[in-house]
PDB file of all heavy atoms in Angstrom:
ATOM      1  N   MET A 408      10.666  21.289 -16.940  1.00  0.00           N
ATOM      2  CA  MET A 408      10.257  20.346 -18.001  1.00  0.00           C
ATOM      3  C   MET A 408       9.473  19.147 -17.447  1.00  0.00           C
ATOM      4  O   MET A 408       9.722  18.682 -16.326  1.00  0.00           O
ATOM      5  CB  MET A 408      11.514  19.827 -18.718  1.00  0.00           C
ATOM      6  CG  MET A 408      12.239  20.892 -19.526  1.00  0.00           C
ATOM      7  SD  MET A 408      13.710  20.216 -20.297  1.00  0.00           S
ATOM      8  CE  MET A 408      13.017  18.897 -21.299  1.00  0.00           C
ATOM      9  N   ILE A 409       8.552  18.655 -18.265  1.00  0.00           N
ATOM     10  CA  ILE A 409       7.817  17.424 -17.916  1.00  0.00           C
ATOM     11  C   ILE A 409       8.711  16.230 -18.222  1.00  0.00           C
ATOM     12  O   ILE A 409       9.209  16.078 -19.316  1.00  0.00           O
ATOM     13  CB  ILE A 409       6.518  17.325 -18.740  1.00  0.00           C
ATOM     14  CG1 ILE A 409       5.543  18.426 -18.309  1.00  0.00           C
ATOM     15  CG2 ILE A 409       5.897  15.947 -18.579  1.00  0.00           C
ATOM     16  CD1 ILE A 409       4.970  18.231 -16.926  1.00  0.00           C
ATOM     17  N   LEU A 410       8.912  15.369 -17.220  1.00  0.00           N
ATOM     18  CA  LEU A 410       9.716  14.160 -17.410  1.00  0.00           C
ATOM     19  C   LEU A 410       8.858  12.920 -17.610  1.00  0.00           C
ATOM     20  O   LEU A 410       9.281  11.977 -18.275  1.00  0.00           O
ATOM     21  CB  LEU A 410      10.639  13.953 -16.197  1.00  0.00           C
ATOM     22  CG  LEU A 410      11.636  15.092 -15.929  1.00  0.00           C
ATOM     23  CD1 LEU A 410      12.528  14.749 -14.734  1.00  0.00           C
ATOM     24  CD2 LEU A 410      12.500  15.370 -17.156  1.00  0.00           C
ATOM     25  N   CYS A 411       7.681  12.881 -17.019  1.00  0.00           N
ATOM     26  CA  CYS A 411       6.739  11.777 -17.217  1.00  0.00           C
ATOM     27  C   CYS A 411       5.496  12.331 -17.882  1.00  0.00           C
ATOM     28  O   CYS A 411       4.698  13.014 -17.250  1.00  0.00           O
ATOM     29  CB  CYS A 411       6.386  11.130 -15.861  1.00  0.00           C
ATOM     30  SG  CYS A 411       5.095   9.874 -15.995  1.00  0.00           S
ATOM     31  N   GLU A 412       5.357  12.040 -19.184  1.00  0.00           N
ATOM     32  CA  GLU A 412       4.241  12.602 -19.930  1.00  0.00           C
ATOM     33  C   GLU A 412       2.912  11.947 -19.559  1.00  0.00           C
ATOM     34  O   GLU A 412       1.869  12.585 -19.612  1.00  0.00           O
ATOM     35  CB  GLU A 412       4.502  12.452 -21.440  1.00  0.00           C
ATOM     36  CG  GLU A 412       5.621  13.319 -21.943  1.00  0.00           C
ATOM     37  CD  GLU A 412       5.917  13.080 -23.406  1.00  0.00           C
ATOM     38  OE1 GLU A 412       5.570  11.979 -23.891  1.00  0.00           O
ATOM     39  OE2 GLU A 412       6.508  13.968 -24.045  1.00  0.00           O
ATOM     40  N   MET A 415       2.299  13.502 -16.219  1.00  0.00           N
ATOM     41  CA  MET A 415       2.653  14.938 -16.197  1.00  0.00           C
ATOM     42  C   MET A 415       3.491  15.291 -14.959  1.00  0.00           C
ATOM     43  O   MET A 415       3.225  16.271 -14.252  1.00  0.00           O
ATOM     44  CB  MET A 415       1.402  15.806 -16.239  1.00  0.00           C
ATOM     45  CG  MET A 415       0.560  15.624 -17.508  1.00  0.00           C
ATOM     46  SD  MET A 415       1.338  16.377 -18.957  1.00  0.00           S
ATOM     47  CE  MET A 415       0.973  18.110 -18.637  1.00  0.00           C
ATOM     48  N   VAL A 416       4.505  14.477 -14.685  1.00  0.00           N
ATOM     49  CA  VAL A 416       5.384  14.732 -13.528  1.00  0.00           C
ATOM     50  C   VAL A 416       6.555  15.611 -13.980  1.00  0.00           C
ATOM     51  O   VAL A 416       7.338  15.184 -14.845  1.00  0.00           O
ATOM     52  CB  VAL A 416       5.917  13.421 -12.915  1.00  0.00           C
ATOM     53  CG1 VAL A 416       6.812  13.717 -11.729  1.00  0.00           C
ATOM     54  CG2 VAL A 416       4.762  12.530 -12.505  1.00  0.00           C
ATOM     55  N   PRO A 417       6.704  16.810 -13.430  1.00  0.00           N
ATOM     56  CA  PRO A 417       7.796  17.700 -13.858  1.00  0.00           C
ATOM     57  C   PRO A 417       9.100  17.416 -13.134  1.00  0.00           C
ATOM     58  O   PRO A 417       9.117  16.724 -12.106  1.00  0.00           O
ATOM     59  CB  PRO A 417       7.251  19.090 -13.486  1.00  0.00           C
ATOM     60  CG  PRO A 417       6.407  18.843 -12.275  1.00  0.00           C
ATOM     61  CD  PRO A 417       5.795  17.469 -12.454  1.00  0.00           C
ATOM     62  N   GLN A 418      10.190  18.007 -13.607  1.00  0.00           N
ATOM     63  CA  GLN A 418      11.481  17.785 -12.970  1.00  0.00           C
ATOM     64  C   GLN A 418      11.525  18.396 -11.578  1.00  0.00           C
ATOM     65  O   GLN A 418      12.267  17.920 -10.711  1.00  0.00           O
ATOM     66  CB  GLN A 418      12.614  18.348 -13.848  1.00  0.00           C
ATOM     67  CG  GLN A 418      12.560  19.844 -14.092  1.00  0.00           C
ATOM     68  CD  GLN A 418      13.651  20.277 -15.068  1.00  0.00           C
ATOM     69  OE1 GLN A 418      13.994  19.555 -16.009  1.00  0.00           O
ATOM     70  NE2 GLN A 418      14.150  21.486 -14.839  1.00  0.00           N
ATOM     71  N   SER A 419      10.727  19.427 -11.295  1.00  0.00           N
ATOM     72  CA  SER A 419      10.704  20.008  -9.945  1.00  0.00           C
ATOM     73  C   SER A 419      10.212  18.991  -8.939  1.00  0.00           C
ATOM     74  O   SER A 419      10.628  19.009  -7.770  1.00  0.00           O
ATOM     75  CB  SER A 419       9.822  21.259  -9.912  1.00  0.00           C
ATOM     76  OG  SER A 419       8.485  20.949 -10.252  1.00  0.00           O
ATOM     77  N   ILE A 421      10.755  15.713  -9.077  1.00  0.00           N
ATOM     78  CA  ILE A 421      11.869  14.809  -8.818  1.00  0.00           C
ATOM     79  C   ILE A 421      12.897  15.495  -7.894  1.00  0.00           C
ATOM     80  O   ILE A 421      13.417  14.877  -6.944  1.00  0.00           O
ATOM     81  CB  ILE A 421      12.552  14.406 -10.163  1.00  0.00           C
ATOM     82  CG1 ILE A 421      11.503  13.844 -11.138  1.00  0.00           C
ATOM     83  CG2 ILE A 421      13.667  13.400  -9.899  1.00  0.00           C
ATOM     84  CD1 ILE A 421      10.710  12.689 -10.629  1.00  0.00           C
ATOM     85  N   PHE A 455       9.359   5.541 -20.987  1.00  0.00           N
ATOM     86  CA  PHE A 455      10.002   6.801 -21.411  1.00  0.00           C
ATOM     87  C   PHE A 455      10.507   7.609 -20.220  1.00  0.00           C
ATOM     88  O   PHE A 455      11.613   8.105 -20.216  1.00  0.00           O
ATOM     89  CB  PHE A 455       9.003   7.635 -22.234  1.00  0.00           C
ATOM     90  CG  PHE A 455       8.644   7.014 -23.544  1.00  0.00           C
ATOM     91  CD1 PHE A 455       7.543   6.175 -23.646  1.00  0.00           C
ATOM     92  CD2 PHE A 455       9.407   7.258 -24.673  1.00  0.00           C
ATOM     93  CE1 PHE A 455       7.215   5.599 -24.859  1.00  0.00           C
ATOM     94  CE2 PHE A 455       9.094   6.672 -25.891  1.00  0.00           C
ATOM     95  CZ  PHE A 455       7.982   5.829 -25.994  1.00  0.00           C
ATOM     96  N   CYS A 456       9.653   7.741 -19.189  1.00  0.00           N
ATOM     97  CA  CYS A 456      10.037   8.621 -18.078  1.00  0.00           C
ATOM     98  C   CYS A 456      11.204   8.014 -17.288  1.00  0.00           C
ATOM     99  O   CYS A 456      11.968   8.765 -16.663  1.00  0.00           O
ATOM    100  CB  CYS A 456       8.851   8.930 -17.190  1.00  0.00           C
ATOM    101  SG  CYS A 456       8.210   7.533 -16.234  1.00  0.00           S
ATOM    102  N   GLY A 457      11.352   6.697 -17.277  1.00  0.00           N
ATOM    103  CA  GLY A 457      12.500   6.103 -16.595  1.00  0.00           C
ATOM    104  C   GLY A 457      13.804   6.615 -17.195  1.00  0.00           C
ATOM    105  O   GLY A 457      14.764   6.901 -16.474  1.00  0.00           O
ATOM    106  N   ARG A 459      14.121   9.464 -19.013  1.00  0.00           N
ATOM    107  CA  ARG A 459      14.227  10.924 -18.814  1.00  0.00           C
ATOM    108  C   ARG A 459      14.654  11.268 -17.388  1.00  0.00           C
ATOM    109  O   ARG A 459      15.478  12.164 -17.183  1.00  0.00           O
ATOM    110  CB  ARG A 459      12.874  11.586 -19.131  1.00  0.00           C
ATOM    111  CG  ARG A 459      12.482  11.552 -20.582  1.00  0.00           C
ATOM    112  CD  ARG A 459      11.408  12.595 -20.854  1.00  0.00           C
ATOM    113  NE  ARG A 459      10.838  12.449 -22.180  1.00  0.00           N
ATOM    114  CZ  ARG A 459       9.666  11.861 -22.441  1.00  0.00           C
ATOM    115  NH1 ARG A 459       8.953  11.407 -21.436  1.00  0.00           N
ATOM    116  NH2 ARG A 459       9.222  11.777 -23.656  1.00  0.00           N
ATOM    117  N   ILE A 460      14.080  10.584 -16.414  1.00  0.00           N
ATOM    118  CA  ILE A 460      14.415  10.889 -15.014  1.00  0.00           C
ATOM    119  C   ILE A 460      15.878  10.534 -14.730  1.00  0.00           C
ATOM    120  O   ILE A 460      16.607  11.293 -14.093  1.00  0.00           O
ATOM    121  CB  ILE A 460      13.465  10.154 -14.047  1.00  0.00           C
ATOM    122  CG1 ILE A 460      12.036  10.690 -14.198  1.00  0.00           C
ATOM    123  CG2 ILE A 460      13.930  10.304 -12.603  1.00  0.00           C
ATOM    124  CD1 ILE A 460      10.986   9.899 -13.439  1.00  0.00           C
ATOM    125  N   HIS A 463      17.980  13.164 -16.241  1.00  0.00           N
ATOM    126  CA  HIS A 463      17.941  14.381 -15.429  1.00  0.00           C
ATOM    127  C   HIS A 463      18.850  14.256 -14.206  1.00  0.00           C
ATOM    128  O   HIS A 463      19.559  15.211 -13.862  1.00  0.00           O
ATOM    129  CB  HIS A 463      16.481  14.630 -15.001  1.00  0.00           C
ATOM    130  CG  HIS A 463      16.315  15.783 -14.038  1.00  0.00           C
ATOM    131  ND1 HIS A 463      16.573  17.088 -14.403  1.00  0.00           N
ATOM    132  CD2 HIS A 463      15.921  15.798 -12.739  1.00  0.00           C
ATOM    133  CE1 HIS A 463      16.343  17.890 -13.355  1.00  0.00           C
ATOM    134  NE2 HIS A 463      15.948  17.113 -12.330  1.00  0.00           N
TER     135      HIS A 463
END
Side-chain angles (χ1 to χ4, degrees):
M408 292 178 59
I409 292 291
L410 299 182
C411 174
E412 291 176 337
M415 298 286 284
V416 180
Q418 62 185 34
S419 61
I421 307 304
F455 293 92
C456 69
R459 291 198 189 101
I460 293 171
H463 174 66

